[in-house]
Amino acid sequence: MIYRVRHETLYLYSEPVATSHNEVHLMPRALPRQSLAKFELRCDPTPETVAWHRDYFGNDVVFIAVNEPHERLVLRTESRIDLRGPAPIDAERSPAWEAVAARVRRDRDPAWLEAFEMVFPSTYVPVSEALAEYARPSFASHRPLAAGAIELAHRIHTEFRYDPAATQLATPVEEVLRQRHGVCQDFAHLMIGCLRSLGIPARYMSGYLRSAPPPSETGSAKESADGAFVGAEASHAWVSFFCPENGWVDADPTNDLVPCEGHVVLAWGRDYEDVSPVKGVRLGGGGHEMRVAVEVRAEPPACAD
């Protein structure tokens, strides 16, 4: 499936900004199932410096410096992506979760070492007994890892309420667990914390979700009134957990599904701090307002001559 993604981030400042430096994670990753056919980035005002690099996790990052007075900053990207669904997995035939949790602490194979980095607490994801306790009903003794993780995502979907006004970036995961509401970022952090608290490697996925599901998937996930998935029309977040033989397997607790052909990957890391779409510093500006608009549309198939 070919998708066209348009993303606009607008900052409005109450006072002039003398200079601003920003780090941007808005270029989709090149993956075996995700090919980037086009990517354009535009900034207004025109930046003095645009410098690309690849971060520790292999994400493409651009540094943008605007060194002229400005009262608004606009970042626009347009991407065209060829996205293919991952190979299906048999969740019930995956290894027992305890075996994975034990092996990841001792195996020094490069793939397992990479996974081991995702067992520890991070800026927005704690490891705690409270999170382990919430996870345990999905992880009975010797239960297959993928089956337990998918059930955990389902429980978060059904037991928590999606509420954009309920939390902020700094809201602790433990508070989300107590209050039982939040947004996709909160649910991703919560699920990652639950898995890590059991010793299971899990990472934070940042990207986009198609603006509307195909007819075959309508009703298979939590949708808004107009049929779009929850998390569309904005940056989206979900989870990836390490499952031997299958590698990293994605799960979207906000929409109660295993991502297939509608999740576009921008970046991954330990949590939001590693992969925030735009973050930076500025001199001046006073207060500010941020507006984000995202559109993900499938291109119609080409007609045969």
Side-chain angles (χ1 to χ4, degrees):
M1 181 71 70
I2 304 294
Y3 288 97
R4 187 177 297 277
V5 181
R6 295 182 175 90
H7 182 135
E8 178 177 289
T9 301
L10 167 65
Y11 291 92
L12 296 172
Y13 304 107
S14 60
E15 300 174 9
V17 174
T19 183
S20 65
H21 293 177
N22 295 278
E23 185 179 76
V24 179
H25 288 90
L26 288 176
M27 182 175 179
R29 286 188 69 127
L31 302 170
R33 68 179 191 88
Q34 179 174 289
S35 301
L36 186 61
K38 171 187 176 182
F39 179 77
E40 293 181 358
L41 170 66
R42 297 184 298 278
C43 179
D44 181 22
T46 301
E48 181 177 299
T49 303
V50 177
W52 287 92
H53 70 279
R54 191 158 287 174
D55 69 12
Y56 177 80
F57 301 104
N59 305 306
D60 289 297
V61 187
V62 60
F63 170 77
I64 296 174
V66 178
N67 295 325
E68 65 177 79
H70 54 283
E71 295 184 0
R72 66 197 302 267
L73 177 69
V74 187
L75 293 167
R76 297 184 180 91
T77 65
E78 183 171 340
S79 309
R80 188 171 182 269
I81 301 129
D82 185 353
L83 191 62
R84 298 169 294 282
I89 67 166
D90 186 344
E92 295 296 336
R93 295 178 65 86
S94 59
W97 71 268
E98 303 101 322
V100 176
R103 182 178 172 184
V104 75
R105 294 189 173 275
R106 67 173 187 271
D107 198 315
R108 294 300 174 259
D109 178 85
W112 284 84
L113 276 175
E114 179 185 2
F116 189 43
E117 295 179 324
M118 297 296 175
V119 169
F120 301 96
S122 54
T123 302
Y124 292 114
V125 179
V127 169
S128 71
E129 177 55 32
L131 293 171
E133 182 179 353
Y134 180 77
R136 283 194 183 100
S138 298
F139 291 91
S141 179
H142 303 298
R143 187 173 192 191
L145 168 57
I150 291 170
E151 181 184 291
L152 175 62
H154 172 72
R155 288 175 50 217
I156 293 171
H157 169 80
T158 56
E159 296 173 11
F160 289 71
R161 177 168 54 88
Y162 186 88
D163 183 357
T167 58
Q168 299 176 345
L169 177 59
T171 301
V173 166
E174 291 93 339
E175 183 176 332
V176 175
L177 179 61
R178 288 193 303 269
Q179 300 297 327
R180 301 295 173 104
H181 55 197
V183 294
C184 59
Q185 174 184 289
D186 300 306
F187 301 155
H189 284 156
L190 172 65
M191 182 172 173
I192 292 168
C194 288
L195 293 172
R196 291 181 185 172
S197 295
L198 295 178
I200 299 166
R203 64 192 183 191
Y204 184 96
M205 306 295 290
S206 171
Y208 303 119
L209 182 59
R210 63 169 167 255
S211 299
S216 62
E217 291 191 8
T218 300
S220 65
K222 184 182 292 184
E223 302 167 21
S224 65
D226 63 359
F229 285 129
V230 175
E233 312 301 340
S235 297
H236 190 52
W238 62 98
V239 177
S240 191
F241 59 91
F242 183 68
C243 187
E245 288 82 47
N246 301 111
W248 291 90
V249 178
D250 291 359
D252 182 348
T254 303
N255 290 288
D256 192 20
L257 54 80
V258 174
C260 186
E261 293 184 356
H263 288 63
V264 176
V265 178
L266 283 177
W268 62 61
R270 294 164 297 180
D271 58 28
Y272 178 87
E273 176 71 14
D274 288 332
V275 298
S276 56
V278 182
K279 66 179 177 182
V281 295
R282 68 180 193 270
L283 180 61
H288 78 279
E289 176 186 353
M290 182 180 72
R291 302 174 186 172
V292 177
V294 173
E295 181 183 71
V296 183
R297 298 295 180 193
E299 289 192 354
C303 297
D305 292 333

